[in-house]
Structures are given as structure tokens and as C-alpha cells.
Amino acid sequence: MQQYRPRIAIIGSGTGSKSICKTAYDIGLLLAQHGYEIVCGGLGGAMEAACKGSYDGNGVSIGILPGAELTAANPFVTVPIATGLGNMRNALVVGNAAAVIAVDGEWGTLSEIALAMKTGKTIISIGRWNNLDGVIPVASAKEAIATVIRLFPTHFESN
């Protein structure tokens, strides 16, 4: 029977401050180092930073794109998936993950949080959405990854 690496969605703003992008990068890197795949919207900002972290950690990043062109993916996406669905692709990002980590973000991020809540996914939040009922608030990338490892252990873990 095939064993799949757990996928964790990293959601956040398509444009982000240096601080937000650094946090997203660290999350992507740490997830890769611990044997997790990431799934995200595949564009810029926090998504690109998370994919770069995963890339630097020799991980796999799946970018579920809003448009119909694979070339729209950021350069660090390992597996781009063009959907042509616009913002409706948010359901695919959430649906392909065991858990969701929100790194700040705007309304699109909030829609993904709502979809995750509706489908019973674990939601970990750093920043803006920490005060929402049903999310696990954390203060750092390391704390987010510790939470993922505790809730979704993997035998692929390399550290």
C-alpha cells in the first residue's frame, strides 16, 4: 500500500512584508525537513516564500493556481496545477491538506480558513487570524511545526 507524505497547506497574502515572508519561508523549510509536502495557491508573497523554503529543504510544494497557465506559478513550485477556477481554487488548496497554517493574510486567506473550518481541518494561525474561534494560535514558525508534528506525525521525518 502506498504511503503518502502528509500535506500541509500554507496560506497567506499574495503580497507580504519581509517579516511575513520570512515566517512563511521558515515554515516551508521546516516542513520539508520533517518530511511534509506543502500545498498553497502557488503565486507570490507568503506562498512563494513557503515554496522557496520547501525548495531549499529539498521538499515538494504543490501550487494550485487560480488561472489556466502553469507558467503563472512562482519559480519554487515543484508541482503546479492550473485550475482556471479563480478564487474557487481555495477549496482545492484546503481539500488537499491534512492541516492549514495561516500566515497573516487577507480576505482570500480568511476564505480558506472558513473552508478549513467547514471541512473539519486543523487550522494553525500566526498573526492576523489568531483570535478566531477554532484556530490554534501560535507565535512562530517553530511553534507551528511543533504543533503539526504533534498532531500529524510522519515516519518520513528526517530530523
Side-chain angles (χ1 to χ4, degrees):
M1 185 159 132
Q2 177 67 34
Q3 291 285 332
Y4 294 99
R5 294 176 185 268
R7 289 185 185 151
I8 306 299
I10 303 174
I11 60 175
S13 178
T15 59
S17 69
K18 280 186 175 185
S19 173
I20 290 167
C21 288
K22 171 71 169 118
T23 299
Y25 173 88
D26 290 346
I27 290 169
L29 179 66
L30 290 167
L31 285 171
Q33 289 174 340
H34 289 282
Y36 297 86
E37 294 181 349
I38 68 166
V39 61
C40 69
L43 299 178
M47 296 171 280
E48 183 170 353
C51 290
K52 182 168 183 353
S54 178
Y55 178 87
D56 288 350
N58 296 312
V60 173
S61 61
I62 300 157
I64 301 186
L65 304 164
E69 297 296 325
L70 293 176
T71 56
N74 74 63
F76 304 103
V77 168
T78 310
V79 181
I81 299 173
T83 68
L85 294 174
N87 287 327
M88 291 188 302
R89 66 75 153 85
N90 291 354
L92 298 174
V93 172
V94 170
N96 279 283
V100 174
I101 300 174
V103 184
D104 209 54
E106 303 290 331
W107 298 115
T109 304
L110 182 59
S111 76
E112 289 166 313
I113 290 170
L115 289 165
M117 285 186 178
K118 189 78 173 164
T119 58
K121 304 283 176 148
T122 297
I123 305 155
I124 301 162
S125 176
I126 300 172
R128 183 174 189 179
W129 308 111
N130 278 12
N131 63 346
L132 293 177
D133 288 342
V135 305
I136 300 169
V138 297
S140 69
K142 285 184 179 180
E143 190 178 347
I145 302 315
T147 303
V148 167
I149 291 169
R150 180 173 47 83
L151 296 174
F152 302 95
T154 173
H155 69 277
F156 293 103
E157 190 170 334
S158 60
N159 290 353

